[in-house]
Amino acid sequence: MTSERTGAGEPSRTLGLLWGEQPVRRKGPARSVQVPHLVGSAIELADERGLAAVTMRAVAERVGISPMSVYTYVPGKPELLDLMVDTLYAAMPRPPWAAGQTWRHRLTAVAEANRQLLVAHPWLTEVAALSRPPLGPGTMAKYEYELAAFDDTGLDDLDVDAALSHLIGFVQGHCRSAHDAARASTDTAMSDADWWAANQPVLARAFDPDSYPRAVRIGAAAGEAYGSAWDAERAWTFGLACTLAGLTALVEQE
């Protein structure tokens, strides 16, 4: 699986592109496409075929320009990736926080919105964007909006930043696990339930209840309940509840 990170390009050029600063025009014919069109085409390509399919040549073919021409718009793949991520962040809905909403309600909405983004664009689960996020307008608007969800918690600024990172980290980890599970079913052309059924004879011989009493008992209960070793919806509900419970304990210390 491809694993890439944001913030890997040359900073000044990347920030210039993110904030709409146009490069100095060179002599020659007028540009046939604009940077947002190129970025949108790269996102479509990633959605259809995965992040590994997004090459400068593939993007050039999609927008109908020569491969070398792409580099007059975007210096390279690292900068393009930052633009892709920031574009999706900019497009996220950000309805005003309503008066009277509890901070738990707001954080649940933040988590759900990020989950919806990652479900719609699974390749984002392969991008490490927390340590060096693309500091464009989309990223800044997303960060400001999500920080506001903590306004009445009483946490100090550093704890708010850490709490938000913790919440987003949970969402990303969950969605990556769900994405990996979906890929396993697609790659093997076999659902989890079918896989467990096909391997049941081997598992029955290997899993000795005397040697592994808890694993056999609890694993069997989970398998019967989920039809698999893991259920994405239950894992989401349970994990989000635990995450919010941990943050509740932190808030109540204040």
Side-chain angles (χ1 to χ4, degrees), residues 119-130:
V119 168
H121 308 281
W123 55 270
L124 279 171
T125 64
E126 301 167 27
V127 178
L130 284 178

Side-chain angles (χ1 to χ4, degrees), residues 3-250:
S3 181
E4 303 195 46
R5 64 180 176 85
T6 56
E10 198 284 314
S12 62
R13 299 179 74 180
T14 302
L15 288 171
L17 285 165
L18 286 166
W19 289 94
E21 296 178 9
Q22 296 299 321
V24 176
R25 286 294 305 274
R26 301 176 182 176
K27 293 181 179 180
R31 293 184 166 204
S32 58
V33 299
Q34 298 297 319
V35 171
H37 179 205
L38 189 147
V39 173
S41 296
I43 291 170
E44 290 175 357
L45 189 61
D47 289 345
E48 294 168 9
R49 296 167 49 193
L51 189 58
V54 181
T55 65
M56 301 301 274
R57 177 177 292 276
V59 173
E61 291 175 353
R62 176 153 295 215
V63 299
I65 60 177
S66 70
M68 291 307 297
S69 295
V70 177
Y71 295 96
T72 67
Y73 295 86
V74 180
K77 176 74 175 287
E79 292 83 3
L80 178 60
L81 182 61
D82 280 350
L83 289 165
M84 293 164 65
V85 172
D86 196 71
T87 296
L88 291 178
Y89 285 172
M92 292 179 71
R94 283 182 274 275
W97 297 122
Q101 284 181 328
T102 66
W103 66 265
R104 286 178 64 99
H105 179 94
R106 295 194 298 266
L107 294 191
T108 298
V110 167
E112 292 287 358
N114 278 274
R115 185 192 188 195
Q116 289 172 13
L117 177 71
L118 297 177
V119 168
H121 308 281
W123 55 270
L124 279 171
T125 64
E126 301 167 27
V127 178
L130 284 178
S131 61
R132 293 185 181 181
L135 298 177
T139 301
M140 295 305 295
K142 179 179 185 291
Y143 185 47
E144 176 69 21
Y145 179 76
E146 293 173 349
L147 290 174
F150 291 86
D151 274 358
D152 61 357
T153 61
L155 299 177
D156 64 32
D157 288 350
L158 292 181
D159 281 346
V160 167
D161 180 74
L164 178 58
S165 295
H166 178 69
L167 178 66
I168 300 302
F170 158 70
V171 177
Q172 291 179 332
H174 169 84
C175 289
R176 177 145 194 173
S177 294
H179 180 39
D180 289 347
R183 281 170 53 92
S185 295
T186 300
D187 292 348
T188 61
M190 180 182 291
S191 70
D192 282 352
D194 290 341
W195 185 91
W196 284 99
N199 288 281
Q200 186 59 38
V202 176
L203 298 174
R205 293 195 300 272
F207 291 172
D208 176 11
D210 292 330
S211 299
Y212 313 108
R214 298 168 189 82
V216 170
R217 184 184 76 252
I218 296 174
E224 182 176 352
Y226 309 150
S228 173
W230 186 75
D231 179 81
E233 286 302 320
R234 179 173 173 81
W236 171 258
T237 302
F238 182 84
L240 182 58
C242 288
T243 301
L244 293 175
L247 293 177
T248 298
L250 180 65

